[in-house]
Amino acid sequence: MKTVNTISETRDLINSIKIQGKTVGFVPTMGALHDGHITLIREARKENNFIVCSIFVNPIQFNNPNDLKNYPREIEKDIKKLVEAKCDLLFHPSVEEMYPEPDNTIFDFGDLDKVMEGAFRPGHFNGVAVVVKKLFEIVTPHRAYFGMKDYQQLVIIHQLTKDYEIPVEIVPCTTVREKDGLAMSSRNQLLSKSERKIAPIIYETLKLVKVQSGYATISELKDFVHDQFRKHKNMKLEYFEIVDMYTLKSIRTWADSRTAIACIAVYLGNVRLIDNIILFS
Ligand code: PAF
């Protein structure tokens, strides 16, 4: 695997690959790679000839300076994992390389970025859109792979490619979970032992929501989830929403939509985790 830090070298390399008629699969990440990321690399491998991964902790998508400071960074370990996964190229730019000047682009995603993560992390999706658009312009992949855990991000990036006619296929990939059900996330390693022990409650609750969605009303399910988290004093529910999978609009009754996904954000101490479960699609 080749590691490149500059935009120009990455562009040159990818151009030479494309001239050979090869397809490029891209997995953008912020590093601290886990099996979820490696699964994305493997999926990309199945469908493309040349695999690019980027590792860039994008400062402008963090609305909380402590979150940015504490975000795990472990490039040597990441490189080893990428080599094992047979990634072809790692693009690992500095902040100066990506943002020689501040990028003040403002995106308009309508209501998509006003709810859930967007409501609780103001500016987050604008920062994601700035960096993902830039990365797509640099890497020019045929396909890009994103995990379903960050479902709202997936919908917004899809919208970004439509709005800007970016010729890339967005490939959603199933959330990879630990044996006890906890969705894999780089943030899991920030959990204390006791927090890690109770973290699976998040997905257990979502599974109970799915079972009950056959007969309970949405407001009953919301009460159920709020009650579940009130029981655990080390966990704080930030939001629980049941939304249409395409518009992300909140559903009040089951008749409101033909698709539904339940999304949740929970604090364990200072660590914020998100997850979701498709109820029907
Ligand atoms: O999901 C992530 O890791 C990040 O939001 C992404 C897509 C790499 C943009 O920084």
Side-chain angles (χ1 to χ4, degrees):
M1 182 182 74
K2 202 169 163 59
T3 300
V4 171
N5 307 113
T6 65
I7 294 173
S8 62
E9 207 186 331
T10 304
R11 281 207 171 110
D12 289 349
L13 240 155
I14 289 172
N15 281 342
S16 69
I17 287 297
K18 284 188 160 176
I19 287 169
Q20 296 168 38
K22 292 186 176 168
T23 55
V24 175
F26 179 40
V27 180
T29 80
M30 297 205 297
L33 303 180
H34 50 67
D35 280 355
H37 296 113
I38 300 306
T39 304
L40 300 181
I41 302 271
R42 288 209 192 98
E43 289 301 312
R45 211 21 333 136
K46 286 185 200 157
E47 299 178 315
N48 305 277
N49 310 117
F50 190 81
I51 311 306
V52 183
C53 174
S54 63
I55 295 184
F56 177 64
V57 182
N58 176 32
I60 65 166
Q61 72 183 71
F62 286 81
N63 56 314
N64 174 343
N66 273 334
D67 193 19
L68 173 61
K69 199 175 112 215
N70 296 332
Y71 201 84
R73 291 160 172 90
E74 42 197 46
I75 189 67
E76 292 311 321
K77 274 195 200 166
D78 288 347
I79 290 179
K80 257 182 97 183
K81 289 179 188 170
L82 289 174
V83 170
E84 276 166 24
K86 300 197 165 49
C87 177
D88 296 297
L89 172 64
L90 167 61
F91 176 49
H92 179 44
S94 63
V95 174
E96 295 69 34
E97 181 71 8
M98 287 297 276
Y99 302 118
E101 287 145 36
D103 188 324
N104 298 318
T105 315
I106 301 290
F107 292 90
D108 180 2
F109 294 114
D111 290 337
L112 291 180
D113 63 347
K114 309 284 184 299
V115 293
M116 302 192 288
E117 291 303 285
F120 286 94
R121 302 181 67 189
H124 167 65
F125 286 121
N126 203 76
V128 169
V130 168
V131 80
V132 170
K133 183 165 179 284
K134 233 172 190 317
L135 289 167
F136 282 169
E137 283 160 2
I138 297 164
V139 177
T140 61
H142 293 85
R143 300 183 188 86
Y145 296 77
F146 293 89
M148 291 273 291
K149 179 179 72 69
D150 297 292
Y151 185 73
Q152 189 173 8
Q153 167 171 282
L154 183 67
V155 173
I156 287 172
I157 289 173
H158 198 246
Q159 189 63 42
L160 172 79
T161 61
K162 280 196 349 207
D163 290 349
Y164 289 86
E165 296 178 8
I166 305 172
V168 54
E169 181 190 339
I170 302 299
V171 185
C173 298
T174 313
T175 302
V176 180
R177 298 183 180 280
E178 302 287 353
K179 281 201 185 80
D180 58 13
L182 177 65
M184 287 197 185
S185 162
S186 306
R187 291 172 200 272
N188 291 354
Q189 58 177 282
L190 302 174
L191 296 169
S192 70
K193 262 196 174 154
S194 60
E195 288 162 352
R196 175 63 188 80
K197 220 169 154 188
I198 55 170
I201 290 171
I202 300 171
Y203 188 54
E204 278 160 23
T205 304
L206 288 177
K207 283 194 292 186
L208 288 171
V209 164
K210 187 170 168 101
V211 170
Q212 295 176 78
S213 65
Y215 51 88
T217 65
I218 289 176
S219 109
E220 283 166 348
L221 288 179
K222 286 193 170 179
D223 289 346
F224 164 74
V225 172
H226 281 267
D227 287 348
Q228 283 289 99
F229 287 98
R230 250 179 240 125
K231 284 188 216 154
H232 297 280
K233 63 175 184 345
N234 297 336
M235 294 178 119
K236 192 177 148 268
L237 177 67
E238 187 164 60
Y239 67 75
F240 170 74
E241 290 290 344
I242 296 180
V243 299
D244 176 283
M245 288 187 73
Y246 298 98
T247 63
L248 302 184
K249 280 195 196 324
S250 211
I251 298 172
R252 291 206 177 82
T253 71
W254 297 119
D256 281 354
S257 172
R258 277 198 232 155
T259 63
I261 184 166
C263 301
I264 195 165
V266 176
Y267 272 100
L268 283 101
N270 291 324
V271 185
R272 186 176 182 279
L273 299 180
I274 60 170
D275 203 349
N276 60 67
I277 196 165
I278 296 174
L279 302 179
F280 52 92
S281 59

